[in-house]
Amino acid sequence: MARRPKSLDNFHPPIARWFEERIGHPTDVQQEAWPKIAAGDHVLISAPTGTGKTLAAFLYALNQLITGAWPTGHTSVLYVSPLKALNYDIQRNLLGPLDQLKKIFEEAGEDFPEIRVLTRTGDTPQAERRRMLRHPPEILITTPESLNLILSSPSARAILSRLSTVILDEIHSVVGNKRGVHLITAVERLVRLSGEFQRIALSATLRPLETVAEFVGGFSLKGVPENPRYEPRRVTTVCSALQKQYDLHLRYIPVISEEDPGDVWGPMVAGVKKIILQNRSTLIFVNSRRLCETLTLKINEGEKEPLAYSHHGSLSLEIRSEVEHRLKSGELRAIVATHSLELGIDIGSIDEVVLIQSPFSVSSAIQRVGRAGHRVGEVSRGTVFPTHPRDFLEAAVLFPAILHHE
């Protein structure tokens, strides 16, 4: 019988058993991160997609809530990601394991506390927000913008006054822009409200790690108000040794007529359709909502049944969720999406990713292509369709950057 990994010793035995039975062997980032998280360190985890970063961040918090080390009845865990769709996906992915763990504890005759997981975004109805204030969830999931709105309301921010840990997901997408400033200043405001708490940041693609760790940690106030002194918080970095494998292709469609560059649509749509029909599931990324709707329309022209559906931030939560569910269940052949599906949303097994035009950054390209072959050890297949000569040159630069994670 194989010996239980030492990293699982940080958990209550039924929780460790659940992990072994349901998940299997911990990944390298989980084995390295859990002892550091259990020790109370601030942690930055950087690893390829599908390596269990989210569970690495959440499992010890669940352990503390289930065993009573952290009392229930108030919000102890705050999870922040920049994408509403990802937040709802995280909520679903937490409720399943909680139900499974509850059954294991009940079978063993052990108590299992009520642990509620709620999401607060711009889509959350007012009635649900009011219920949240009266009965705060143990785990609150939100976006940087909604977090700042909560902090601006005296009644709402009271639910964040007893935090034990804050999880910042997909940190690469906000570092270096104003959303990042918005996020990290809100986190520092939380310190004044809740006192010091553990910070856990996650991302699939980060360079340089040291700079991002400094961003996540910030500065703690030492000394007295009359003579303040600020010291940087130490953040431990955990970086996976796993190397993601890619199978990349470039499909350049030359403009047939200089007078009518729109001629590129016919050959490009034909090429995309061919890829869709070859695969069980295909995810197609574009750089704008207008292009998303246009390409979806052109892919479906002449088809008896739609081959593809659109997915972007202007669609309602209900429509986005239905599209995600239908692709995951195998009812859909393809989705045409903006960055709304770029991050770690669980949409099942994707055979191939198609990029219409080069993304605006290398990290975005890595995230997008990484949606295919999402599990550990799988190869991510991607095809790029440049739409003009400059885009072709950008794609040529992008390929080696993806392969070398630069």
Side-chain angles (χ1 to χ4, degrees):
M1 182 176 179
R3 185 182 180 278
R4 171 176 288 175
K6 188 173 178 58
S7 59
L8 288 175
D9 293 344
N10 295 286
F11 303 100
H12 193 46
I15 298 175
R17 191 176 85 243
W18 166 84
F19 183 91
E20 289 187 297
E21 292 175 355
R22 292 280 181 167
I23 311 298
H25 196 276
T27 61
D28 63 341
V29 291
Q30 290 172 340
Q31 294 194 67
E32 187 177 348
W34 282 332
K36 294 176 172 59
I37 293 173
D41 293 355
H42 303 301
V43 179
L44 168 63
I45 303 174
S46 178
T49 55
T51 51
K53 296 184 300 296
T54 306
L55 190 56
F58 269 111
L59 192 58
Y60 187 74
L62 294 181
N63 181 86
Q64 298 300 88
L65 289 168
I66 292 170
T67 59
W70 297 349
T72 55
H74 66 267
T75 300
S76 295
V77 182
L78 176 67
Y79 170 93
V80 188
S81 92
L83 200 62
K84 290 187 291 185
L86 176 58
N87 288 348
Y88 288 103
D89 191 62
I90 291 295
Q91 182 181 20
R92 289 191 295 269
N93 290 341
L94 283 174
L95 292 176
L98 281 171
D99 286 341
Q100 296 163 7
L101 286 165
K102 183 177 181 180
K103 291 177 182 177
I104 290 176
F105 273 73
E106 288 176 346
E107 290 170 359
E110 296 191 39
D111 293 333
F112 194 91
E114 181 184 12
I115 299 175
R116 288 166 301 156
V117 184
L118 296 180
T119 300
R120 166 72 184 264
T121 71
D123 294 330
T124 307
Q126 286 293 336
E128 188 173 332
R129 296 184 189 188
R130 289 192 292 270
R131 285 196 298 271
M132 203 178 296
L133 299 183
R134 294 193 297 270
H135 304 288
E138 283 68 28
I139 301 174
L140 177 63
I141 298 170
T142 191
T143 62
E145 291 74 19
S146 290
L147 174 58
N148 275 278
L149 287 174
I150 293 172
L151 289 172
S152 68
S153 167
S155 58
R157 65 173 175 254
I159 69 174
L160 300 177
S161 61
R162 300 172 65 185
L163 294 173
S164 296
T165 189
V166 172
I167 300 171
L168 308 176
D169 203 353
E170 305 293 351
I171 197 71
H172 78 278
S173 66
V174 297
V175 169
N177 60 44
K178 62 183 180 182
R179 285 193 86 189
V181 175
H182 212 212
L183 169 62
I184 210 64
T185 52
V187 172
E188 292 300 342
R189 290 171 67 190
L190 284 172
V191 176
R192 299 184 65 180
L193 177 67
S194 185
E196 289 288 342
F197 44 77
Q198 186 177 40
R199 305 177 184 208
I200 303 173
L202 312 174
S203 181
T205 50
L206 277 177
R207 295 282 179 88
L209 279 176
E210 296 74 17
T211 301
V212 181
E214 292 174 1
F215 172 83
V216 170
F219 292 83
S220 60
L221 175 63
K222 303 294 183 180
V224 295
E226 296 78 15
N227 185 26
R229 179 169 51 88
Y230 294 90
E231 293 182 0
R233 296 182 183 88
R234 184 178 181 277
V235 177
T236 303
T237 58
V238 174
C239 189
S240 175
L242 296 174
Q243 293 296 316
K244 188 68 178 175
Q245 300 298 313
Y246 297 96
D247 179 16
L248 303 178
H249 302 272
L250 185 64
R251 295 280 299 276
Y252 183 53
I253 306 297
V255 175
I256 298 172
S257 168
E258 293 295 337
E259 291 75 24
D260 183 13
D263 283 350
V264 73
W265 279 110
M268 183 176 70
V269 171
V272 172
K273 278 189 174 184
K274 184 177 180 181
I275 291 173
I276 292 173
L277 295 173
Q278 287 174 343
N279 296 323
R280 184 196 63 83
S281 58
T282 305
L283 183 54
I284 304 156
F285 282 107
V286 296
N287 292 333
S288 70
R289 294 172 183 175
R290 180 178 179 181
L291 182 54
C292 179
E293 293 289 351
T294 302
L295 182 59
T296 304
L297 176 64
K298 290 186 176 295
I299 289 173
N300 292 327
E301 281 180 351
E303 299 293 334
K304 292 182 180 180
E305 296 289 337
L307 283 177
Y309 279 69
S310 296
H311 190 290
H312 55 74
S314 293
L315 298 173
S316 68
L317 171 63
E318 290 76 16
I319 292 176
R320 295 196 309 269
S321 298
E322 179 64 17
V323 170
E324 294 163 20
H325 171 73
R326 292 190 65 188
L327 183 71
K328 188 175 181 179
S329 63
E331 300 174 39
L332 263 186
R333 298 294 294 268
I335 291 180
V336 182
T338 59
H339 68 280
S340 59
L341 285 179
E342 180 178 306
L343 303 181
I345 300 169
D346 181 12
I347 49 175
S349 178
I350 300 296
D351 296 328
E352 186 169 354
V353 167
V354 174
L355 306 182
I356 305 299
Q357 302 178 337
S358 301
F360 300 123
S361 68
V362 174
S363 62
S364 180
I366 293 173
Q367 287 291 117
R368 292 182 179 190
V369 177
R371 305 310 295 149
H374 191 66
R375 295 180 177 85
V376 177
E378 292 183 345
V379 176
S380 294
R381 283 201 297 145
T383 299
V384 181
F385 281 83
T387 59
H388 52 81
R390 179 177 175 179
D391 193 22
F392 179 84
L393 292 175
E394 290 178 356
V397 173
L398 195 65
F399 270 42
I402 293 174
L403 293 172
H404 297 97
H405 281 238
E406 298 174 345

